[in-house]
Amino acid sequence: MKLGVVGLPNVGKSTLFNAITSAGAQAANYPFCTIEPNTGVVPVPDERLDVLAEMYHPRKSTPAMLEFVDIAGLVKGASHGEGLGNRFLSHIREVDAIVHVVRCFEDDNIVHVDGTVNPARDIDIIQTELILADLETVQKRETKAAHLVKNGDKRLQYELDAAKKLSGHLNQGKPARTCQLSEAEQSASADWFLLTQKKVIYAANIGEGDLGRPESELPMVRQVREIAEMENSQVLVICAKVEEEISQMEPDEKQLFLEEMGIGRSGLDRLVQLCYALLGQISYLTIGADEVRAWTITQGTRAPQAAGKIHTDFERGFIRAEIVSYDDLVANGSMAACREKGLVRSEGKDYVMKDGDVTLFRFNV
């Protein structure tokens, strides 16, 4: 999965990116500090891998990976090239989902591009620019499809219908992801790569003094959550500055600090959980003397396609999948013990993979 971190300048984007990836992206108190998108690939925290590594003592343990892209601050007029807008809009098209960082703290020492802190206005600025960019794309598609349909090419009727619906929806200032399209219309418009079609996690970036306070005492965070609920998006309340400090700690020190602060889990753990839920992702596991590994797949993936994640030959020559649940494997101590108790299942081509399936694929090419 590839996630784009966006927001206005000086809202804490690069600080959050640093906290998540420990990649050291430059962070400074002026707009457009980030010009080229910084990219960081981070492991997905998964305690199950640690347990399996203790059981099998493999040569290596490989978690699933997430890629984060820190995209430079957008400003009003970005859809028409203001700031460095057009370049950054193109970077957003390449990601699977958006992490929209929204400033929810006051600090006279950190300038705001619009002079004051107002989460609802800031979200609207970004969303408006993305909508305007999408509207331009949709209107071009509509013009082309209308011309071809008029000339007898009825194959593009669904594309024309989708364009008309989306155009009206976007003109109302609403993102494409909230537009009700039929299955055929969704299919016809799938390759348009609309910016506002992407799912969003709003990262409400609070100040250090607000950590641990209930949301009822954080009016800026409430603004963000109300907007997210209207469009069925997710919200992550986080202090990017503190998360950046946590990311530089040793594991034992980090855990102690999280407990003392009452945070419980790091921002990365919580963000990964939201990303998986938002994009419908799960992980299956493979074990062996060489490696224990987590593989990310989409919910609903069947066994042959899951096998193809490892190698195309596995999918092409798929015979069956031998599967035991992670909980059963840990409870019984070994695959051999699970086989004796009949807990290892032999599944065919129609089997839909489940999160935590410990899997051995049988194939023949």
Side-chain angles (χ1 to χ4, degrees):
M1 290 186 291
K2 191 173 184 179
L3 303 161
V5 185
V6 307
L8 292 174
N10 293 350
V11 297
K13 286 186 306 76
S14 294
T15 303
L16 179 59
F17 178 81
N18 290 346
I20 294 167
T21 66
S22 299
Q26 185 182 9
N29 183 23
Y30 55 89
F32 309 120
C33 172
T34 308
I35 297 175
E36 294 302 325
N38 292 285
T39 300
V41 179
V42 301
V44 175
D46 193 335
E47 293 177 356
R48 297 174 300 190
L49 281 183
D50 297 332
V51 174
L52 292 175
E54 283 293 317
M55 290 173 63
Y56 286 90
H57 305 288
R59 279 187 274 276
K60 63 178 179 177
S61 176
T62 307
M65 306 300 286
L66 276 176
E67 183 176 352
F68 287 91
V69 182
D70 180 22
I71 297 167
L74 293 166
V75 293
K76 192 179 294 184
S79 58
H80 302 296
E82 289 296 323
L84 296 168
N86 289 332
R87 292 173 62 192
F88 303 145
L89 292 174
S90 70
H91 294 317
I92 298 172
R93 292 192 194 282
E94 299 169 5
V95 302
D96 298 308
I98 293 170
V99 179
H100 184 167
V101 184
V102 184
R103 180 169 165 178
C104 293
F105 65 90
E106 298 279 3
D107 189 332
D108 293 337
N109 296 316
I110 301 177
V111 298
H112 190 286
V113 70
D114 281 325
T116 58
V117 180
N118 183 325
R121 177 205 60 207
D122 292 355
I123 290 172
D124 185 63
I125 288 172
I126 297 291
Q127 187 136 285
T128 297
E129 295 308 320
L130 301 185
I131 285 172
L132 288 172
D134 281 349
L135 193 55
E136 183 179 351
T137 298
V138 168
Q139 288 172 340
K140 287 179 180 177
R141 292 280 186 168
E142 183 177 354
T143 300
K144 182 178 179 181
H147 175 72
L148 293 172
V149 169
K150 185 178 179 180
N151 288 339
D153 190 349
K154 300 303 182 184
R155 294 174 300 172
L156 292 178
Q157 185 61 55
Y158 286 122
E159 187 166 323
L160 179 57
D161 293 343
K164 286 181 176 179
K165 280 188 183 179
L166 284 163
S167 181
H169 193 78
L170 293 165
N171 265 314
Q172 294 176 41
K174 299 175 181 178
R177 59 184 168 272
T178 63
C179 184
Q180 297 299 314
L181 299 176
S182 70
E183 192 172 322
E185 290 163 351
Q186 288 178 30
S187 178
S189 59
D191 64 349
W192 297 359
F193 302 107
L194 299 179
L195 302 172
T196 62
Q197 192 74 60
K198 298 179 188 298
K199 295 185 177 180
V200 174
I201 294 172
Y202 290 105
N205 186 17
I206 61 175
E208 294 179 60
D210 290 329
L211 275 175
R213 292 177 60 191
E215 280 192 27
S216 58
E217 298 177 9
L218 303 173
M220 292 187 189
V221 173
R222 291 205 307 273
Q223 280 186 41
V224 176
R225 194 168 292 282
E226 287 168 5
I227 291 168
E229 286 174 355
M230 285 191 291
E231 58 184 58
N232 200 27
S233 294
Q234 299 285 342
V235 177
L236 173 72
V237 181
I238 192 169
C239 177
K241 186 63 179 172
V242 169
E243 291 290 340
E244 187 178 29
E245 294 169 3
I246 291 172
S247 71
Q248 297 166 7
M249 296 178 180
E250 295 297 324
D252 291 344
E253 183 187 7
K254 171 182 171 181
Q255 191 55 47
L256 182 61
F257 181 81
L258 288 171
E259 291 171 3
E260 289 177 350
M261 295 294 291
I263 299 173
R265 292 178 300 158
S266 72
L268 174 59
D269 290 352
R270 292 183 290 134
L271 182 57
V272 167
Q273 185 178 37
L274 281 177
C275 291
Y276 265 57
L278 193 69
L279 294 173
Q281 303 292 303
I282 60 173
S283 293
Y284 74 87
L285 309 163
T286 55
I287 56 175
D290 287 331
E291 180 183 42
V292 297
R293 182 162 180 168
W295 303 84
T296 299
I297 54 174
T298 303
Q299 284 179 351
T301 298
R302 297 187 186 277
Q305 288 69 50
K309 281 281 186 176
I310 300 175
H311 197 285
T312 53
D313 283 351
F314 283 33
E315 181 176 358
R316 187 159 56 91
F318 180 88
I319 299 173
R320 67 181 184 274
E322 296 177 6
I323 295 173
V324 63
S325 75
Y326 166 80
D327 290 337
D328 284 343
L329 177 60
V330 172
N332 290 278
S334 70
M335 285 290 283
C338 288
R339 288 185 195 280
E340 287 179 10
K341 294 185 178 181
L343 297 172
V344 179
R345 312 185 309 276
S346 180
E347 302 287 1
K349 293 182 178 180
D350 291 331
Y351 177 71
V352 176
M353 300 291 291
K354 296 180 177 62
D355 186 57
D357 278 348
V358 181
T359 308
L360 172 64
F361 292 110
R362 300 292 186 184
F363 72 103
N364 181 38
V365 177

